[in-house]
Amino acid sequence: MHLKVLLASLSLHAWPSTPNNATVLYLKEGASDQFMMQESNAVQPKRCVVTGGAGFIGSHLVERLLTDGHAVTVLDNFSSGHRKNLQSLSSNSKLKICQVDIAEYEQIKEHFVEIDWVFHLAALADIVPSIEQPLSYHRSNVDGTISVLEAARQTGVKRFIYAASSSCYGLATEFPTPETAAIKTEYPYALTKYLAECYVLHWNQVYKLPCISLRLINVYGPRARTTGSYGAVFGVFLAQKLAGRPYTVVGDGNQTRDFTFVSDVVQAFIQAAQSELSGEIFNVGSGGTYSINKLIALLGGDKVHIPKRPGEPDCTFACISKISKALGWQPQVGFEEGVAKMLEHIDDWREAPVWDEKSIDIATRQWFEHLGESKGSETPHSKHKILCTEEALCSATSSEEHKDCK
Ligand code: UDP
């Protein structure tokens, strides 16, 4: 009891710079007694593999692991990751960067020898290209995961944390959406990320590989989407802002997203690795949901409207009760603060493609063709229409009903 009080008074949110020579006890609000205190493994530096470490989330995770004194091997084929994401860390002697295809088991297995923690983030992302190239997506996201799992198992790694996707919930009907919600994959990207999660849990079940799957949702932060195909909204809007072009708002802009800041996601990875739990799936979200119109109000500037996209949810909103209780994890960065940080880093998007109504129309043709209405009069949206306004969700989050989700 005395210990708890003492620790509470120290306000132990040790991130981002946990000292390596001290044992730190984390105390998180809302965590159950059972999981309230976790001894940080920062006292003992770990050897880590981060697949996809040159990508957006991966590079933030690598940065944090190095800051905490761990050694990191990045495995990345640089198909969507960039060396420049790791440039500021390149002089760190504890960082090794290997250009390799994770689906090539023979080529990656040597990198797993004597590794403590594996963070598996390498994957092909985005909806449209996954519809166009299902085989590539299966190879990278499913075969790649099996290859990494097998390398981890054969070398006896101690913890395996998988970056899963909340796209597995598809057009969810329950908000906040718990981990137990029905799986409804709408396109190959979502399917492959979900299949890979099944493999991760299977390797835990059959081979006792200590695994945790984190279902990420609408992650944003510096370095998000600075190149490549049409995709995540922040990259699109920030490049438009820099170019003085109007924001292309899908539909009426009242749709909401559970925008989760990248440092919170990184913290979830670290706590999952430090935990002794395995075989578990956890949602990682912001604890709220925010409309595109709100995002535009925070960014400031003009907008144009573009057609609503088929198969897209009106709302994403993950229930985070499970991870809060089990790992004592809570998001720390509010939406306004996160958007302000994005604006501080807006120069990251100087080279990013600037999308407009016309180029988006061309880029999303396959999307409309394969997921669109032409197959019937009832749209996925009208079929699953649910009350999902910011106001409704705010009250849902705070209500008793949603405290534990399910
Ligand atoms: N969005 C938008 N304009 C764009 C791109 C996206 O209004 O040019 C909206 C989109 O309708 C969605 C939200 O931004 O409601 C997030 O889209 P993103 O593709 O980043 O994530 P996802 O839809 O996969 O959750």
Side-chain angles (χ1 to χ4, degrees):
M1 181 67 191
H2 286 316
L3 179 63
K4 275 189 193 175
V5 172
L6 171 69
L7 291 168
S9 69
L10 290 173
S11 174
L12 293 168
H13 288 281
W15 193 75
S17 50
T18 306
N20 290 322
N21 56 357
T23 297
V24 176
L25 291 171
Y26 289 88
L27 245 191
K28 302 276 184 176
E29 227 179 297
S32 71
D33 273 2
Q34 191 188 352
F35 297 107
M36 214 157 181
M37 284 186 254
Q38 293 179 312
E39 198 168 332
S40 163
N41 286 332
V43 67
Q44 219 185 358
K46 303 291 182 193
R47 284 154 302 198
C48 313
V49 161
V50 180
T51 73
F56 157 48
I57 304 171
S59 63
H60 283 275
L61 176 60
V62 170
E63 193 172 356
R64 166 70 191 278
L65 289 167
L66 293 171
T67 302
D68 287 358
H70 306 300
V72 181
T73 299
V74 166
L75 305 183
D76 203 302
N77 66 358
F78 298 103
S79 61
S80 55
H82 306 289
R83 283 190 189 274
K84 71 172 189 305
N85 285 345
L86 297 170
Q87 211 164 348
S88 64
L89 309 169
S90 57
S91 60
N92 192 315
S93 60
K94 288 189 165 177
L95 174 64
K96 195 166 113 190
I97 302 172
C98 305
Q99 181 162 8
V100 67
D101 177 352
I102 54 155
E104 297 292 340
Y105 173 72
E106 291 300 331
Q107 288 173 30
I108 63 164
K109 65 179 182 190
E110 66 183 277
H111 298 294
F112 289 75
V113 175
E114 295 190 346
I115 289 295
D116 300 301
W117 292 349
V118 171
F119 299 93
H120 176 41
L121 288 85
L124 287 176
D126 293 327
I127 298 174
V128 179
S130 83
I131 295 168
E132 291 166 348
Q133 306 150 40
L135 292 180
S136 309
Y137 273 70
H138 189 90
R139 183 171 188 280
S140 291
N141 299 359
V142 184
D143 295 343
T145 297
I146 298 169
S147 167
V148 173
L149 280 168
E150 193 53 5
R153 164 173 99 93
Q154 295 290 355
T155 51
V157 307
K158 301 195 179 71
R159 304 284 301 161
F160 187 104
I161 315 301
Y162 171 60
S165 169
S166 58
S167 59
C168 63
Y169 300 127
L171 302 171
T173 51
E174 190 182 344
F175 299 99
T177 309
E179 289 85 351
T180 50
I183 298 300
K184 290 184 275 185
T185 53
E186 298 272 336
Y187 36 81
Y189 167 73
L191 175 64
T192 55
K193 289 296 289 180
Y194 177 67
L195 290 175
E197 181 183 83
C198 295
Y199 273 102
V200 170
L201 296 174
H202 204 67
W203 253 244
N204 175 257
Q205 184 194 316
V206 176
Y207 305 113
K208 310 294 173 243
L209 182 68
C211 300
I212 284 185
S213 180
L214 299 178
R215 287 185 182 163
L216 311 184
I217 189 160
N218 294 104
V219 185
Y220 72 109
R223 303 199 284 271
R225 174 73 53 175
T226 52
T227 58
S229 55
Y230 176 66
V233 67
F234 269 97
V236 174
F237 283 3
L238 291 170
Q240 288 167 341
K241 183 175 175 71
L242 281 170
R245 305 292 291 270
Y247 304 116
T248 47
V249 175
V250 169
D252 61 10
N254 285 327
Q255 69 272 32
T256 66
R257 289 293 180 271
D258 187 341
F259 290 116
T260 310
F261 199 70
V262 67
S263 57
D264 284 330
V265 172
V266 164
Q267 179 63 21
F269 274 100
I270 301 285
Q271 286 183 229
Q274 290 171 338
S275 144
E276 306 233 308
L277 298 176
S278 66
E280 295 290 343
I281 298 168
F282 294 115
N283 284 339
V284 178
S286 70
T289 188
Y290 309 92
S291 72
I292 297 309
N293 289 331
K294 170 151 189 161
L295 171 58
I296 285 176
L298 292 170
L299 293 175
D302 297 334
K303 57 183 177 178
V304 289
H305 291 271
I306 59 175
K308 200 163 173 173
R309 309 181 296 202
E312 244 202 350
D314 286 328
C315 170
T316 67
F317 185 17
C319 177
I320 54 172
S321 295
K322 187 178 173 195
I323 188 169
S324 302
K325 278 192 180 156
L327 301 184
W329 174 89
Q330 286 283 347
Q332 304 295 317
V333 181
F335 189 53
E336 280 84 356
E337 187 188 346
V339 174
K341 281 179 200 273
M342 295 300 271
L343 288 171
E344 277 169 33
H345 288 265
I346 195 162
D347 280 338
D348 288 2
W349 287 273
R350 288 249 170 243
E351 308 294 318
V354 181
W355 296 93
D356 60 19
E357 294 158 272
K358 208 167 170 191
S359 56
I360 292 172
D361 177 52
I362 295 166
T364 55
R365 257 177 212 163
Q366 291 267 316
W367 186 335
F368 279 84
E369 193 184 315
H370 291 282
L371 307 179
E373 320 292 293
S374 49
K375 294 169 197 152
S377 54
E378 201 175 31
T379 74
H381 272 85
S382 63
K383 202 161 67 184
H384 293 278
K385 193 77 190 162
I386 36 91
L387 175 67
C388 193
T389 63
E390 271 165 279
E391 294 70 30
L393 292 167
C394 287
S395 57
T397 340
S398 55
S399 75
E400 282 301 311
E401 188 192 344
H402 281 289
K403 267 216 171 105
D404 298 320
C405 295
K406 262 190 215 164

Short mmCIF file of all heavy atoms in Angstrom, two decimals, residues 252-305:
data_model
loop_
_atom_site.label_atom_id
_atom_site.label_comp_id
_atom_site.label_asym_id
_atom_site.label_seq_id
_atom_site.Cartn_x
_atom_site.Cartn_y
_atom_site.Cartn_z
N ASP A 252 -19.65 13.78 -46.59
CA ASP A 252 -19.97 15.04 -45.91
C ASP A 252 -18.95 15.40 -44.83
O ASP A 252 -19.06 16.45 -44.18
CB ASP A 252 -21.39 14.98 -45.32
CG ASP A 252 -21.54 13.87 -44.28
OD1 ASP A 252 -20.52 13.27 -43.87
OD2 ASP A 252 -22.69 13.59 -43.87
N GLY A 253 -17.97 14.52 -44.61
CA GLY A 253 -16.93 14.82 -43.61
C GLY A 253 -17.37 14.57 -42.18
O GLY A 253 -16.62 14.83 -41.24
N ASN A 254 -18.59 14.05 -42.02
CA ASN A 254 -19.05 13.75 -40.65
C ASN A 254 -18.59 12.37 -40.18
O ASN A 254 -18.79 12.01 -39.02
CB ASN A 254 -20.58 13.81 -40.57
CG ASN A 254 -21.06 15.25 -40.59
OD1 ASN A 254 -20.38 16.13 -40.08
ND2 ASN A 254 -22.20 15.49 -41.21
N GLN A 255 -18.00 11.59 -41.10
CA GLN A 255 -17.49 10.28 -40.67
C GLN A 255 -16.38 10.51 -39.65
O GLN A 255 -15.66 11.51 -39.72
CB GLN A 255 -17.00 9.45 -41.86
CG GLN A 255 -15.75 9.95 -42.56
CD GLN A 255 -16.05 10.95 -43.66
OE1 GLN A 255 -17.01 11.71 -43.59
NE2 GLN A 255 -15.22 10.98 -44.70
N THR A 256 -16.24 9.57 -38.72
CA THR A 256 -15.26 9.76 -37.65
C THR A 256 -14.24 8.64 -37.65
O THR A 256 -14.52 7.52 -38.09
CB THR A 256 -15.95 9.82 -36.27
OG1 THR A 256 -16.52 8.53 -35.99
CG2 THR A 256 -17.02 10.90 -36.20
N ARG A 257 -13.04 8.97 -37.17
CA ARG A 257 -11.96 8.00 -37.09
C ARG A 257 -11.30 8.06 -35.71
O ARG A 257 -11.18 9.13 -35.12
CB ARG A 257 -10.88 8.28 -38.16
CG ARG A 257 -11.32 7.98 -39.59
CD ARG A 257 -11.52 6.48 -39.78
NE ARG A 257 -11.93 6.12 -41.13
CZ ARG A 257 -13.19 6.06 -41.54
NH1 ARG A 257 -14.18 6.35 -40.72
NH2 ARG A 257 -13.48 5.68 -42.77
N ASP A 258 -10.85 6.92 -35.28
CA ASP A 258 -10.16 6.80 -33.99
C ASP A 258 -8.68 7.10 -34.24
O ASP A 258 -7.84 6.19 -34.29
CB ASP A 258 -10.37 5.35 -33.50
CG ASP A 258 -9.86 5.14 -32.09
OD1 ASP A 258 -9.04 5.94 -31.62
OD2 ASP A 258 -10.27 4.14 -31.48
N PHE A 259 -8.37 8.39 -34.43
CA PHE A 259 -7.00 8.78 -34.75
C PHE A 259 -6.11 8.59 -33.52
O PHE A 259 -6.33 9.20 -32.48
CB PHE A 259 -6.96 10.23 -35.21
CG PHE A 259 -7.58 10.45 -36.56
CD1 PHE A 259 -8.72 11.23 -36.70
CD2 PHE A 259 -7.03 9.88 -37.70
CE1 PHE A 259 -9.29 11.45 -37.95
CE2 PHE A 259 -7.60 10.08 -38.96
CZ PHE A 259 -8.74 10.87 -39.08
N THR A 260 -5.08 7.76 -33.69
CA THR A 260 -4.22 7.38 -32.55
C THR A 260 -2.79 7.83 -32.84
O THR A 260 -2.22 7.48 -33.89
CB THR A 260 -4.26 5.84 -32.36
OG1 THR A 260 -5.63 5.44 -32.33
CG2 THR A 260 -3.59 5.44 -31.06
N PHE A 261 -2.24 8.57 -31.91
CA PHE A 261 -0.91 9.15 -32.16
C PHE A 261 0.18 8.09 -32.03
O PHE A 261 0.14 7.22 -31.15
CB PHE A 261 -0.64 10.32 -31.20
CG PHE A 261 0.44 11.22 -31.70
CD1 PHE A 261 0.25 12.05 -32.80
CD2 PHE A 261 1.68 11.23 -31.08
CE1 PHE A 261 1.26 12.87 -33.28
CE2 PHE A 261 2.71 12.05 -31.55
CZ PHE A 261 2.49 12.87 -32.65
N VAL A 262 1.18 8.22 -32.89
CA VAL A 262 2.18 7.15 -33.03
C VAL A 262 2.95 6.87 -31.74
O VAL A 262 3.29 5.72 -31.45
CB VAL A 262 3.12 7.45 -34.22
CG1 VAL A 262 4.01 8.66 -33.95
CG2 VAL A 262 3.95 6.23 -34.59
N SER A 263 3.24 7.88 -30.92
CA SER A 263 4.01 7.60 -29.70
C SER A 263 3.20 6.74 -28.72
O SER A 263 3.78 5.93 -27.98
CB SER A 263 4.45 8.90 -29.01
OG SER A 263 3.33 9.70 -28.71
N ASP A 264 1.88 6.88 -28.76
CA ASP A 264 1.05 6.01 -27.92
C ASP A 264 1.10 4.57 -28.42
O ASP A 264 1.13 3.62 -27.63
CB ASP A 264 -0.40 6.51 -27.91
CG ASP A 264 -0.58 7.74 -27.03
OD1 ASP A 264 0.17 7.86 -26.03
OD2 ASP A 264 -1.44 8.58 -27.33
N VAL A 265 1.13 4.42 -29.72
CA VAL A 265 1.20 3.08 -30.31
C VAL A 265 2.54 2.43 -29.96
O VAL A 265 2.61 1.26 -29.56
CB VAL A 265 1.00 3.17 -31.84
CG1 VAL A 265 1.25 1.83 -32.51
CG2 VAL A 265 -0.40 3.67 -32.16
N VAL A 266 3.60 3.21 -30.05
CA VAL A 266 4.93 2.70 -29.71
C VAL A 266 4.96 2.25 -28.24
O VAL A 266 5.49 1.18 -27.92
CB VAL A 266 6.00 3.80 -29.98
CG1 VAL A 266 7.32 3.47 -29.30
CG2 VAL A 266 6.20 3.97 -31.48
N GLN A 267 4.36 3.03 -27.38
CA GLN A 267 4.32 2.67 -25.97
C GLN A 267 3.57 1.35 -25.77
O GLN A 267 3.95 0.52 -24.93
CB GLN A 267 3.66 3.79 -25.15
CG GLN A 267 3.54 3.52 -23.67
CD GLN A 267 4.88 3.36 -22.95
OE1 GLN A 267 5.91 3.83 -23.44
NE2 GLN A 267 4.86 2.70 -21.81
N ALA A 268 2.52 1.14 -26.55
CA ALA A 268 1.78 -0.13 -26.45
C ALA A 268 2.67 -1.31 -26.85
O ALA A 268 2.64 -2.37 -26.22
CB ALA A 268 0.52 -0.07 -27.32
N PHE A 269 3.47 -1.12 -27.90
CA PHE A 269 4.40 -2.18 -28.32
C PHE A 269 5.38 -2.51 -27.19
O PHE A 269 5.66 -3.68 -26.91
CB PHE A 269 5.18 -1.77 -29.57
CG PHE A 269 4.45 -2.08 -30.85
CD1 PHE A 269 3.74 -1.09 -31.53
CD2 PHE A 269 4.47 -3.36 -31.38
CE1 PHE A 269 3.06 -1.37 -32.70
CE2 PHE A 269 3.79 -3.65 -32.56
CZ PHE A 269 3.08 -2.65 -33.22
N ILE A 270 5.91 -1.47 -26.57
CA ILE A 270 6.91 -1.68 -25.51
C ILE A 270 6.26 -2.42 -24.33
O ILE A 270 6.82 -3.39 -23.81
CB ILE A 270 7.47 -0.32 -25.02
CG1 ILE A 270 8.12 0.46 -26.17
CG2 ILE A 270 8.42 -0.51 -23.83
CD1 ILE A 270 9.45 -0.02 -26.64
N GLN A 271 5.09 -1.98 -23.94
CA GLN A 271 4.44 -2.64 -22.79
C GLN A 271 4.02 -4.07 -23.12
O GLN A 271 4.06 -4.94 -22.25
CB GLN A 271 3.25 -1.80 -22.30
CG GLN A 271 3.74 -0.57 -21.54
CD GLN A 271 2.63 0.28 -20.97
OE1 GLN A 271 2.62 1.49 -21.16
NE2 GLN A 271 1.70 -0.33 -20.25
N ALA A 272 3.65 -4.30 -24.36
CA ALA A 272 3.32 -5.67 -24.77
C ALA A 272 4.56 -6.56 -24.69
O ALA A 272 4.50 -7.72 -24.25
CB ALA A 272 2.74 -5.68 -26.18
N ALA A 273 5.70 -6.01 -25.08
CA ALA A 273 6.94 -6.79 -25.04
C ALA A 273 7.36 -7.06 -23.60
O ALA A 273 7.85 -8.15 -23.27
CB ALA A 273 8.05 -6.05 -25.79
N GLN A 274 7.16 -6.09 -22.73
CA GLN A 274 7.56 -6.25 -21.33
C GLN A 274 6.62 -7.15 -20.54
O GLN A 274 6.99 -7.70 -19.51
CB GLN A 274 7.60 -4.88 -20.65
CG GLN A 274 8.75 -4.01 -21.15
CD GLN A 274 8.66 -2.58 -20.64
OE1 GLN A 274 7.59 -2.12 -20.26
NE2 GLN A 274 9.78 -1.90 -20.63
N SER A 275 5.43 -7.30 -21.05
CA SER A 275 4.42 -8.09 -20.34
C SER A 275 4.75 -9.58 -20.39
O SER A 275 5.51 -10.04 -21.23
CB SER A 275 3.06 -7.81 -20.99
OG SER A 275 2.27 -8.94 -21.00
N GLU A 276 4.14 -10.32 -19.50
CA GLU A 276 4.32 -11.78 -19.52
C GLU A 276 3.13 -12.46 -20.19
O GLU A 276 3.09 -13.67 -20.28
CB GLU A 276 4.45 -12.29 -18.09
CG GLU A 276 5.53 -11.57 -17.33
CD GLU A 276 6.53 -12.49 -16.69
OE1 GLU A 276 6.08 -13.38 -15.98
OE2 GLU A 276 7.73 -12.28 -16.92
N LEU A 277 2.16 -11.66 -20.62
CA LEU A 277 0.98 -12.25 -21.25
C LEU A 277 1.31 -12.75 -22.64
O LEU A 277 2.18 -12.18 -23.31
CB LEU A 277 -0.13 -11.21 -21.35
CG LEU A 277 -0.65 -10.63 -20.04
CD1 LEU A 277 -1.67 -9.53 -20.32
CD2 LEU A 277 -1.27 -11.74 -19.21
N SER A 278 0.62 -13.78 -23.09
CA SER A 278 0.78 -14.18 -24.48
C SER A 278 -0.50 -14.82 -25.00
O SER A 278 -1.39 -15.17 -24.23
CB SER A 278 1.99 -15.09 -24.67
OG SER A 278 1.79 -16.28 -24.01
N GLY A 279 -0.57 -14.91 -26.33
CA GLY A 279 -1.76 -15.44 -26.97
C GLY A 279 -2.93 -14.47 -26.91
O GLY A 279 -4.07 -14.87 -27.04
N GLU A 280 -2.64 -13.19 -26.69
CA GLU A 280 -3.70 -12.20 -26.53
C GLU A 280 -3.76 -11.24 -27.72
O GLU A 280 -2.74 -10.92 -28.32
CB GLU A 280 -3.46 -11.35 -25.27
CG GLU A 280 -3.54 -12.12 -23.98
CD GLU A 280 -4.96 -12.57 -23.62
OE1 GLU A 280 -5.93 -12.02 -24.19
OE2 GLU A 280 -5.10 -13.48 -22.79
N ILE A 281 -4.98 -10.77 -27.98
CA ILE A 281 -5.21 -9.72 -28.98
C ILE A 281 -5.64 -8.48 -28.21
O ILE A 281 -6.51 -8.56 -27.35
CB ILE A 281 -6.35 -10.11 -29.94
CG1 ILE A 281 -6.00 -11.38 -30.71
CG2 ILE A 281 -6.69 -8.96 -30.88
CD1 ILE A 281 -7.19 -11.99 -31.45
N PHE A 282 -5.03 -7.34 -28.53
CA PHE A 282 -5.43 -6.09 -27.89
C PHE A 282 -5.68 -5.02 -28.95
O PHE A 282 -4.84 -4.82 -29.84
CB PHE A 282 -4.34 -5.55 -26.96
CG PHE A 282 -4.06 -6.42 -25.76
CD1 PHE A 282 -2.82 -7.04 -25.62
CD2 PHE A 282 -5.02 -6.60 -24.78
CE1 PHE A 282 -2.55 -7.83 -24.52
CE2 PHE A 282 -4.75 -7.40 -23.66
CZ PHE A 282 -3.51 -8.01 -23.54
N ASN A 283 -6.80 -4.31 -28.82
CA ASN A 283 -6.97 -3.09 -29.60
C ASN A 283 -6.05 -2.01 -29.06
O ASN A 283 -5.84 -1.92 -27.84
CB ASN A 283 -8.40 -2.54 -29.42
CG ASN A 283 -9.43 -3.32 -30.20
OD1 ASN A 283 -9.12 -4.01 -31.17
ND2 ASN A 283 -10.69 -3.20 -29.79
N VAL A 284 -5.54 -1.18 -29.96
CA VAL A 284 -4.77 0.00 -29.55
C VAL A 284 -5.44 1.19 -30.23
O VAL A 284 -5.39 1.31 -31.46
CB VAL A 284 -3.29 -0.11 -30.00
CG1 VAL A 284 -2.52 1.14 -29.61
CG2 VAL A 284 -2.64 -1.34 -29.39
N GLY A 285 -6.09 2.04 -29.45
CA GLY A 285 -6.79 3.19 -30.03
C GLY A 285 -6.60 4.42 -29.17
O GLY A 285 -5.90 4.38 -28.14
N SER A 286 -7.24 5.49 -29.56
CA SER A 286 -7.06 6.77 -28.87
C SER A 286 -8.03 6.94 -27.71
O SER A 286 -7.91 7.87 -26.92
CB SER A 286 -7.26 7.92 -29.85
OG SER A 286 -8.63 8.00 -30.20
N GLY A 287 -9.07 6.08 -27.67
CA GLY A 287 -10.11 6.25 -26.66
C GLY A 287 -11.21 7.21 -27.11
O GLY A 287 -12.13 7.50 -26.35
N GLY A 288 -11.12 7.69 -28.34
CA GLY A 288 -12.15 8.61 -28.86
C GLY A 288 -12.31 8.43 -30.35
O GLY A 288 -11.70 7.54 -30.96
N THR A 289 -13.14 9.26 -30.97
CA THR A 289 -13.29 9.22 -32.43
C THR A 289 -13.62 10.63 -32.91
O THR A 289 -14.37 11.35 -32.24
CB THR A 289 -14.34 8.17 -32.85
OG1 THR A 289 -14.31 8.03 -34.27
CG2 THR A 289 -15.75 8.50 -32.39
N TYR A 290 -13.03 11.04 -34.01
CA TYR A 290 -13.04 12.46 -34.41
C TYR A 290 -13.40 12.59 -35.88
O TYR A 290 -12.91 11.83 -36.72
CB TYR A 290 -11.64 13.07 -34.15
CG TYR A 290 -11.19 12.79 -32.75
CD1 TYR A 290 -10.42 11.65 -32.47
CD2 TYR A 290 -11.59 13.59 -31.70
CE1 TYR A 290 -10.05 11.35 -31.17
CE2 TYR A 290 -11.22 13.30 -30.39
CZ TYR A 290 -10.45 12.17 -30.14
OH TYR A 290 -10.10 11.87 -28.85
N SER A 291 -14.24 13.58 -36.19
CA SER A 291 -14.71 13.69 -37.58
C SER A 291 -13.66 14.35 -38.47
O SER A 291 -12.78 15.08 -38.00
CB SER A 291 -16.01 14.49 -37.64
OG SER A 291 -15.74 15.86 -37.39
N ILE A 292 -13.80 14.09 -39.76
CA ILE A 292 -12.93 14.72 -40.75
C ILE A 292 -13.16 16.24 -40.72
O ILE A 292 -12.22 17.01 -40.87
CB ILE A 292 -13.21 14.11 -42.14
CG1 ILE A 292 -12.88 12.62 -42.13
CG2 ILE A 292 -12.43 14.82 -43.24
CD1 ILE A 292 -11.52 12.26 -41.59
N ASN A 293 -14.40 16.64 -40.50
CA ASN A 293 -14.67 18.09 -40.40
C ASN A 293 -13.93 18.71 -39.22
O ASN A 293 -13.44 19.83 -39.30
CB ASN A 293 -16.18 18.34 -40.28
CG ASN A 293 -16.88 18.04 -41.60
OD1 ASN A 293 -16.28 18.18 -42.67
ND2 ASN A 293 -18.14 17.61 -41.53
N LYS A 294 -13.83 17.97 -38.13
CA LYS A 294 -13.08 18.49 -36.98
C LYS A 294 -11.60 18.61 -37.33
O LYS A 294 -10.93 19.60 -36.98
CB LYS A 294 -13.28 17.57 -35.78
CG LYS A 294 -12.36 17.91 -34.63
CD LYS A 294 -12.92 17.58 -33.28
CE LYS A 294 -12.01 18.16 -32.22
NZ LYS A 294 -12.60 18.28 -30.94
N LEU A 295 -11.10 17.60 -38.03
CA LEU A 295 -9.68 17.64 -38.44
C LEU A 295 -9.43 18.88 -39.30
O LEU A 295 -8.44 19.60 -39.12
CB LEU A 295 -9.34 16.35 -39.21
CG LEU A 295 -7.99 16.29 -39.90
CD1 LEU A 295 -6.85 16.52 -38.91
CD2 LEU A 295 -7.79 14.96 -40.62
N ILE A 296 -10.35 19.15 -40.23
CA ILE A 296 -10.18 20.30 -41.11
C ILE A 296 -10.25 21.60 -40.32
O ILE A 296 -9.48 22.53 -40.57
CB ILE A 296 -11.21 20.23 -42.25
CG1 ILE A 296 -10.73 19.16 -43.22
CG2 ILE A 296 -11.38 21.58 -42.95
CD1 ILE A 296 -11.63 18.87 -44.34
N ALA A 297 -11.13 21.65 -39.33
CA ALA A 297 -11.22 22.86 -38.51
C ALA A 297 -9.88 23.10 -37.80
O ALA A 297 -9.42 24.24 -37.67
CB ALA A 297 -12.35 22.72 -37.51
N LEU A 298 -9.24 22.02 -37.36
CA LEU A 298 -7.96 22.17 -36.66
C LEU A 298 -6.83 22.54 -37.63
O LEU A 298 -5.93 23.30 -37.28
CB LEU A 298 -7.59 20.87 -35.93
CG LEU A 298 -8.48 20.50 -34.73
CD1 LEU A 298 -8.17 19.09 -34.24
CD2 LEU A 298 -8.29 21.50 -33.59
N LEU A 299 -6.89 22.01 -38.86
CA LEU A 299 -5.83 22.30 -39.84
C LEU A 299 -6.02 23.69 -40.46
O LEU A 299 -5.05 24.36 -40.80
CB LEU A 299 -5.83 21.24 -40.96
CG LEU A 299 -5.43 19.82 -40.58
CD1 LEU A 299 -5.60 18.89 -41.78
CD2 LEU A 299 -3.98 19.76 -40.08
N GLY A 300 -7.29 24.08 -40.61
CA GLY A 300 -7.61 25.38 -41.23
C GLY A 300 -7.45 25.34 -42.74
O GLY A 300 -6.48 24.75 -43.24
N GLY A 301 -8.39 25.92 -43.47
CA GLY A 301 -8.28 25.98 -44.93
C GLY A 301 -9.56 25.56 -45.61
O GLY A 301 -10.52 25.13 -44.97
N ASP A 302 -9.57 25.68 -46.95
CA ASP A 302 -10.76 25.36 -47.74
C ASP A 302 -10.87 23.87 -48.00
O ASP A 302 -9.88 23.14 -47.91
CB ASP A 302 -10.70 26.09 -49.10
CG ASP A 302 -10.71 27.59 -48.89
OD1 ASP A 302 -11.25 28.04 -47.86
OD2 ASP A 302 -10.13 28.31 -49.74
N LYS A 303 -12.11 23.47 -48.41
CA LYS A 303 -12.30 22.06 -48.73
C LYS A 303 -13.17 21.90 -49.95
O LYS A 303 -13.94 22.80 -50.30
CB LYS A 303 -12.91 21.32 -47.53
CG LYS A 303 -14.22 21.90 -47.05
CD LYS A 303 -14.72 21.15 -45.82
CE LYS A 303 -16.01 21.78 -45.30
NZ LYS A 303 -16.57 21.10 -44.15
N VAL A 304 -13.03 20.74 -50.61
CA VAL A 304 -13.98 20.33 -51.65
C VAL A 304 -14.46 18.94 -51.27
O VAL A 304 -13.77 18.22 -50.54
CB VAL A 304 -13.32 20.25 -53.06
CG1 VAL A 304 -12.99 21.62 -53.59
CG2 VAL A 304 -12.09 19.35 -53.06
N HIS A 305 -15.64 18.58 -51.76
CA HIS A 305 -16.17 17.26 -51.40
C HIS A 305 -16.00 16.29 -52.56
O HIS A 305 -16.19 16.65 -53.72
CB HIS A 305 -17.64 17.38 -51.01
CG HIS A 305 -17.81 18.11 -49.70
ND1 HIS A 305 -17.80 17.45 -48.49
CD2 HIS A 305 -17.94 19.42 -49.43
CE1 HIS A 305 -17.93 18.35 -47.52
NE2 HIS A 305 -18.03 19.55 -48.07
#
